[in-house]
């Protein structure tokens, strides 16, 4: 059983998030036809610059696993909009 912790991202977490996003994108490859998107579109959707800014503004959270030495294994970034938010 994995135990996860969700916390605000630290500056040191940013570099690991590109790998997390690429790993997550691999899970969607079998569904490209249903999603109607090319494979290159589902990887690298979030720029490191956006992630750094979100981290500075406390809009970026990471999930870490105790079995993976507290390295990020997932993340969520939020951009607040006038009447909603983008996740």
């Amino acid at each position: 059983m994995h135990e996860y912790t969700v916390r605000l991202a630290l500056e040191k977490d940013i570099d690991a998030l590109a790998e997390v996003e690429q790993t997550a994108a691999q899970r969607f490859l079998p569904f490209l036809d249903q999603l109607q998107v090319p494979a290159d579109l589902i990887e690298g959707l979030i720029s490191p610059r956006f992630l750094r800014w979100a981290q500075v503004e406390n809009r970026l959270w990471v999930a870490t696993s105790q079995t993976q030495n507290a390295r990020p294994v997932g993340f969520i970034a939020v951009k607040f909009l006038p009447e909603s938010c983008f996740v």
Side-chain angles (χ1 to χ4, degrees):
M1 175 180 210
H2 292 283
E3 293 207 20
Y4 298 96
T5 301
V6 176
R7 60 170 170 75
L8 280 169
L10 304 173
E11 185 178 351
K12 69 179 185 172
D13 296 324
I14 301 296
D15 291 337
L17 299 185
E19 180 182 340
V20 170
E21 186 173 25
Q22 288 174 342
T23 300
Q26 297 301 309
R27 293 181 177 255
F28 290 97
L29 291 177
F31 307 102
L32 292 179
D33 287 339
Q34 291 103 330
L35 294 171
Q36 298 179 345
V37 296
D40 62 335
L41 186 64
I42 65 171
E43 292 187 17
L45 293 176
I46 300 180
S47 73
R49 183 175 181 221
F50 177 87
L51 292 172
R52 281 187 190 91
W53 191 248
Q55 186 270 325
V56 167
E57 292 185 341
N58 293 324
R59 302 183 285 109
L60 178 64
W61 292 265
V62 294
T64 61
S65 170
Q66 293 177 356
T67 61
Q68 304 245 343
N69 298 323
R71 280 184 51 87
V73 295
F75 69 93
I76 185 168
V78 176
K79 175 67 175 165
F80 295 103
L81 304 172
E83 295 185 20
S84 64
C85 64
F86 172 75
V87 176

